[in-house]
Amino acid sequence: MPVQGQPGGMQVTFLGTNGWYDSLTGNTCSTLIRARDYDIILDAGNGVAKADRYITQDKPVYLFISHLHLDHIIGLHTLVKFRLKKGLTICGGPGIAGGLGAIVREPYTVPFDTVQYPVTVTECADGACPVPFTVTCLPLVHPVPCFGYNLNLDGKVITYCTDTGVCDNAVTLARDADLLITECGLKPGQKSPDWPHLNPEDAISIARQAKARRLALMHFGAEVYRTIEERDEIKRRFAPVFPGLIVTQDDMTIEV
Ligand SMILES: [Zn+2]
Ligand SMILES: [Zn+2]
């Protein structure tokens, strides 16, 4: 797919754009950011297995996990196929090390300490992540602990907020972002108060309040958006009211 946007910055590739499960519309969610000195991955749904189509594996890789629902971590069982020469640092909210350690182990898959490169799991504390670039991390609204991230590097701000209902922390994290990546679990007008997710109007409202320049929708509910045409309809309907709207599909790359 052609790259959209201005050349010369970071490249953001949507490896998996489905929420919940894989379907004909794509893999479960994972997003790759190719920055100058690092490769950064946001969540590890099944899409993460495609990362080595895009990266040389020569840079340090940082993986930020929003939460432990399987559509965000199921792809971790493919880590064993990578050869990340500068290692992998996995970052998440409090409790992430124990949560991942309970699943990424025998007999389910190869444990972190057995893959061919160093893997470190680290937890954000007091809203900051122990990584060599500026990351702010705040809790979102979801049935389990879930964290959104504001990444500031290479002179740009990219915010990642999934899965969540509408909340002040999403707006705070997205403040003045060059790109807000968020979820679109629901159709226009749909609500799910018992299992918080966003519809397109909610996502646009967060982007507007935060004055984010662009908004990329991903994590389209697999049961809700059954075809790519249904996603295209969101673009047709809402791009006129939010010109920075990007409706993602698997393997789409944009420049930030
Ligand atoms: Zn999800
Ligand atoms: Zn979830």
Side-chain angles (χ1 to χ4, degrees):
M1 248 179 228
V3 175
Q4 300 177 7
Q6 300 300 312
M10 290 182 280
Q11 293 183 315
V12 178
T13 301
F14 300 92
L15 302 172
T17 57
N18 271 27
W20 194 4
Y21 57 87
D22 289 1
S23 71
L24 289 175
T25 57
N27 289 129
T28 46
C29 72
S30 186
T31 301
L32 171 67
I33 302 169
R34 281 170 284 168
R36 192 178 54 226
D37 300 321
Y38 314 103
D39 288 314
I40 297 166
I41 299 173
L42 307 171
D43 276 332
N46 280 323
V48 77
K50 293 185 265 183
D52 54 3
R53 296 185 195 171
Y54 298 96
I55 63 174
T56 58
Q57 308 199 55
D58 291 328
K59 292 177 182 175
V61 178
Y62 292 87
L63 166 60
F64 293 89
I65 300 288
S66 61
H67 65 307
L68 291 169
H69 280 156
L70 285 175
D71 54 331
H72 300 257
I73 63 167
I74 192 75
L76 289 173
H77 77 105
T78 65
L79 288 183
V80 71
K81 79 171 180 141
F82 294 101
R83 294 292 178 269
L84 305 177
K85 297 180 191 74
K86 298 280 174 59
L88 171 68
T89 304
I90 301 175
C91 235
I96 195 74
L100 291 180
I103 288 177
V104 186
R105 67 174 182 86
E106 301 290 1
Y108 309 112
T109 186
V110 176
F112 292 133
D113 58 5
T114 314
V115 299
Q116 300 270 323
Y117 48 88
V119 179
T120 310
V121 183
T122 141
E123 302 193 352
C124 302
D126 301 324
C129 298
V131 296
F133 44 92
T134 308
V135 179
T136 308
C137 156
L138 290 173
L140 301 174
V141 176
H142 204 48
V144 298
C146 181
F147 288 81
Y149 298 93
N150 172 303
L151 293 83
N152 190 330
L153 77 169
D154 294 3
K156 300 282 182 178
V157 173
I158 297 176
T159 298
Y160 181 66
C161 287
T162 195
D163 301 1
T164 189
V166 174
C167 64
D168 291 344
N169 280 351
V171 177
T172 301
L173 288 168
R175 183 77 60 208
D176 294 322
D178 295 284
L179 176 67
L180 165 61
I181 303 168
T182 192
E183 64 144 297
C184 191
L186 304 173
K187 282 276 178 79
Q190 253 186 349
K191 295 280 177 198
S192 67
D194 299 334
W195 192 266
H197 279 293
L198 300 180
N199 62 35
E201 302 94 312
D202 294 332
I204 288 170
S205 165
I206 290 168
R208 277 218 183 99
Q209 287 178 65
K211 297 190 165 55
R213 273 174 273 290
R214 287 199 287 169
L215 167 67
L217 298 179
M218 49 105 233
H219 194 284
F220 290 91
E223 193 77 359
V224 176
Y225 291 87
R226 289 169 178 259
T227 64
I228 292 295
E229 289 69 35
E230 289 175 69
R231 298 188 190 186
D232 290 342
E233 178 57 29
I234 299 303
K235 174 92 178 167
R236 268 195 297 278
R237 185 162 157 192
F238 292 98
V241 298
F242 193 87
L245 183 68
I246 299 155
V247 173
T248 67
Q249 311 180 16
D250 283 28
D251 298 300
M252 173 191 278
T253 297
I254 61 171
E255 293 268 355
V256 177

